[in-house]
Amino acid sequence: MPKRGNNSKIRRFAAHRGPALTFDDVLLVPKYSDVRTRRDVDTHARLTTKIELGIPIVSANMDVVTEASMAIAMARCGGIGIIHRFITAEEEAREIEKVKRSESLMIENPLTLGPDSKISDAKKVLDEYGIGGIVIIGEGRKLLGMLTTRDIMLQDNPATKVREVMTPRKRLVTAPPNVSLNDAYKLLKDNKVEKLPLVDKSDRLTGLITSSDLLKRIQFPNASKDKKGRLLVGAAIGVKGDYMDRAKKLVDAGADVLVVDIAHGHSSNAIDALKAVKKAWDVQVIVGNVATPEGTRDLMKAGADAVKIGVGSGSICVTRIVTGFGVPQLTAIMESAIVAEDYGVPIIADGGIRTPGDIVKALAAGASTVMIGGLLAGTDESPGPVVLKNGRKYKLTRGMASLTATLDRRRSEGAADAIREKEVVEGVLEGRTPEGVEGLADYKGKTEEVVRDLIGGVRSGMSYCGVRSLKDLQKNAEFIRITSAGFKESMPHDIHQM
Ligand code: XMP
């Protein structure tokens, strides 16, 4: 355990020990390397005590960053997304379900409809879950047919019954419940079909295997998956009100990890919520945010499976300006990492990542993974539309404690009466000054491509350190502090950049 912090006088005047540092204050010293190609390095990382990822990247639980499509993209890349909590518990659980239904070895509980449903209902389900077909069943789950987007594409009467346009049972290719993946692949291929319903001896539906799921296994070999071959996903909860009801819905929907999300995580509120969730369910729980070894220790002592580090470091944060509190991110990570090592619990560096080099520094300083908001906020998979300004494309981004985010939250809770609305306009919400800002994030295209660039930098960084694993990066890394002249030298200089 680090000694500082026990003596309150030393703590108050800790500035005497030299300035706290962040990413731009340091560089990593190149080391002898026998890594011949960047492909040789292994980017596997511990997210929590029990969950491992293929890459050390987590998308932030922000309403401008992570809903189902971001979580799906992140998991396919080998990372994970954490669904934000600024929607109703039902909506958040539905986002989890969308991720869980997006692919699996075998869908145990496929979406179904009855034969007398209207095709307008079918269209709604297909759109909402982004899937290509629904199994049609009758009484006792007897298989009756299959309805795909192709069957209804040109149907213009929404009241048409599903039974009139579906592919009927006699024309469906099926397999028994225990079919092997190889046999399923062969059946799909030989019969040129996309969906293979699994039925028992009484022709009752027991599952579904799709060609797109099998293809995705080939397309995304490093995807983060659970035991059933479904993508991993996390979900955030708060610490007040009905957070336990929300947690139950999320766990029931299949969330692999919960994030107890509170701005000041070194607090009795966070610890009580963590303990309550851990007592109620056997689920992995990340807690944050804190910025000190004491905060990290107290959360780990209380049972956290990972702790998020970062107070005021995010791209949209003004906590440090508004409250005067925070710890520059590199120091926060380094000091918390000492405690984390003692407890054998991973820490997540959350906020302030702007470049692949920042990720390498955060990992080298002791973080197991990094959480990213702003860098992913302008991607195709982040929620919200693309906006055009002066001929350039952007997406809206904002802090979760910003004025508009708080206002939207209040509105969705039905609390925006006239008086509150006025308070909001004046910038004061129940005495709380906003601690986040709104802005425009550059449009960045596909998440997959952004993540590929970030991981390319991490792989390269590991080869500069002469290591093949993130664990060895932490062991081998040597930081040096730099001056503003050194920083200037690090940037492109003396050219007219294209
Ligand atoms: P980046 O730099 O990746 O940081 O955009 C994302 C992290 O910022 C935190 N966050 C906030 N912090 N006020 C804050 O002080 C806010 O309004 C706010 N919104 C998000 C959060 O930890 C996120 O993961």
Side-chain angles (χ1 to χ4, degrees), residues 60 62 289 314-317 319 350-352 371-374 399-402 435-436:
M62 295 167 67
N289 282 17
S315 56
I316 34 52
C317 302
T319 296
D350 176 20
M371 177 172 266
I372 292 181
M400 293 301 88
S402 66
E435 289 178 24

Side-chain angles (χ1 to χ4, degrees), residues 12-27:
R12 277 181 66 203
F13 299 109
H16 76 278
R17 70 202 160 98
L21 304 174
T22 195
F23 302 122
D24 282 349
D25 293 318
V26 298
L27 283 171

Side-chain angles (χ1 to χ4, degrees), residues 179-254:
V179 65
S180 72
L181 277 188
N182 281 346
D183 288 349
Y185 181 85
K186 200 168 168 338
L187 277 169
L188 288 162
K189 189 174 158 198
D190 293 349
N191 292 285
K192 296 186 194 136
V193 288
E194 286 171 7
K195 308 213 180 282
L196 185 67
L198 308 182
V199 286
D200 64 14
K201 286 189 182 118
S202 314
D203 215 32
R204 283 188 302 241
L205 180 73
T206 63
L208 179 72
I209 293 179
T210 71
S211 54
S212 65
D213 280 353
L214 295 183
L215 276 179
K216 277 176 209 143
R217 279 162 65 86
I218 299 166
Q219 219 180 335
F220 304 104
N222 298 322
S224 312
K225 297 202 170 161
D226 64 18
K227 281 189 198 118
K228 294 177 179 170
R230 304 175 305 174
L231 297 175
L232 292 186
V233 59
I237 57 170
V239 298
K240 287 188 189 156
D242 60 356
Y243 74 92
M244 287 295 279
D245 288 343
R246 183 179 285 262
K248 178 172 186 332
K249 289 193 171 79
L250 301 173
V251 170
D252 288 348

Side-chain angles (χ1 to χ4, degrees), residues 231-306:
L231 297 175
L232 292 186
V233 59
I237 57 170
V239 298
K240 287 188 189 156
D242 60 356
Y243 74 92
M244 287 295 279
D245 288 343
R246 183 179 285 262
K248 178 172 186 332
K249 289 193 171 79
L250 301 173
V251 170
D252 288 348
D256 298 284
V257 55
L258 295 183
V259 173
V260 174
D261 172 41
I262 172 172
H264 186 23
H266 194 188
S267 58
S268 52
N269 277 340
I271 290 173
D272 291 348
L274 164 66
K275 285 185 174 165
V277 173
K278 287 299 284 183
K279 196 169 165 207
W281 300 282
D282 178 21
V283 62
Q284 292 285 279
V285 183
I286 298 169
V287 196
N289 282 17
V290 300
T292 59
E294 294 84 353
T296 307
R297 175 200 59 205
D298 288 349
L299 293 179
M300 290 184 179
K301 249 188 186 169
D305 297 298

